[in-house]
Amino acid sequence: MRPDPSELLELAGRVAREAGEMLRAGIGHLRIDVTTKTSGTDMVSEMDRASEALIVEGILAARPDDAILGEETGSRDGTSGVRWVIDPLDGTTNYLYRHPIWAVSVGVEVDGRAEVGVVVAAGLGEVFTATRGGGAWLDGAPISVSGATDLAGALVGTGFGYAASRRGRQAVVLPHLLPAVRDIRRNGVASLDLCWVACGRLDGYFEAGGQPWDVAAGLLIATEAGASAAGLDGGPVVPESVMVAAPGVAPALFALLVGAGADEPLKPPH
Ligand code: LIP
């Protein structure tokens, strides 16, 4: 039997808010258990792990047959056809530097398709949600993308990877982009960048090299709010290749990014 999206939304919201509250209460405490993962700048702390443990425990208590993909604990199989895609602390670097911009991101897929997205920005006191076909919401109020139509006036978000070599290749786009838009923003939190496109705080966002947990919830929230989405090669959007924008600027922005080789960092180095 297909699960009821409103029940999945309720559960996703509950576990994400609990984890967000735990993280908010813990920010600023001296972090003793900070290690690194894929590179010297890719930090993970006991708070990332504690947040994921809390979320996974809450999900499995209610839905023991579901599958889970979590940034810190990896993949767990299920039999229900439902999969939870979790970033327990998106913006770890911001969090450890005590910036207020970080989030808990929970996406829910049914039979491989995104059906529910929840992004809790507990440091900012905001909750973004969406269900497929049900629109996108901020703290219970409907949201939609900006009405921007002029690329020269567009505010565009982006992000960079943890590997120095990749950052160098990602920077190649900037000389093409910066003269062509209002400005760029590097917030450090993909899930929130996507939500800020959804509510018009950004007119577009792109990033090469993201992970499924960075974008699972935010992509649904952005597209349910009216955003156009594509891969950096102009093909379908996938976690590691994302560009989204308000429809009025999407064609121009997407053409610029494809023309500037924004997908280059995803290709094997020459
Ligand atoms: C972060 C992403 C961000 C990206 C960072 C990092 P994390 O996720 O949200 O978009 O630019 O390099 O990957 O590691 O804080 O969960």
Side-chain angles (χ1 to χ4, degrees):
M1 195 179 72
R2 272 189 79 76
D4 176 354
S6 62
E7 285 175 19
L8 296 175
L9 177 62
E10 190 282 325
L11 179 55
R14 179 157 47 83
V15 295
R17 282 184 177 85
E18 283 171 13
E21 188 42 39
M22 180 200 70
L23 291 166
R24 194 195 59 71
I27 199 165
H29 292 196
L30 184 62
R31 295 286 142 223
I32 47 176
D33 180 1
V34 177
T35 53
T36 57
K37 299 187 292 186
T38 61
S39 81
T41 58
D42 183 4
M43 297 185 286
V44 58
S45 75
E46 79 262 29
M47 296 305 281
D48 300 73
R49 289 188 279 269
S51 173
E52 187 154 320
L54 186 74
I55 294 167
V56 170
E57 188 187 328
I59 293 167
L60 295 181
R63 299 188 53 89
D65 302 327
D66 289 0
I68 293 182
L69 173 61
E71 176 171 8
E72 307 312 339
T73 54
S75 191
R76 175 191 185 277
D77 292 339
T79 57
S80 63
V82 175
R83 184 174 79 148
W84 299 72
V85 184
I86 302 163
D87 192 330
L89 176 45
D90 194 11
T92 299
T93 301
N94 286 0
Y95 183 86
L96 295 173
Y97 276 83
R98 295 187 294 286
H99 296 194
I101 300 180
W102 46 272
V104 176
S105 176
V106 177
V108 191
E109 302 167 348
V110 178
D111 300 329
R113 192 168 74 152
E115 291 293 337
V116 170
V118 174
V119 174
V120 173
L124 302 172
E126 294 186 327
V127 177
F128 293 86
T129 60
T131 54
R132 177 174 295 282
W137 307 77
L138 167 53
D139 296 337
I143 53 175
S144 60
V145 294
S146 78
T149 55
D150 176 21
L151 186 60
L155 190 62
V156 177
T158 191
F160 308 102
Y162 286 120
S165 58
R166 171 161 283 176
R167 285 200 295 277
R169 300 175 72 195
Q170 288 170 311
V172 170
V173 170
L174 300 180
H176 301 273
L177 181 69
L178 279 168
V181 298
R182 177 189 303 278
D183 205 345
I184 67 167
R185 290 290 179 270
R186 198 295 191 242
N187 291 316
V189 190
S191 57
L192 276 184
D193 284 324
L194 291 160
C195 290
W196 288 15
V197 171
C199 66
R201 289 178 191 162
L202 291 171
D203 301 306
Y205 161 74
F206 71 100
E207 187 159 357
Q211 299 289 337
W213 43 80
D214 292 324
V215 300
L219 265 178
L220 182 68
I221 293 167
T223 51
E224 281 292 323
S228 306
L232 293 164
D233 59 356
V237 65
V238 288
E240 66 276 12
S241 185
V242 172
M243 50 187 182
V244 297
V249 289
L253 177 63
F254 291 3
L256 184 151
L257 292 172
V258 172
D263 66 337
E264 268 307 302
L266 302 171
K267 297 176 181 167
H270 303 301

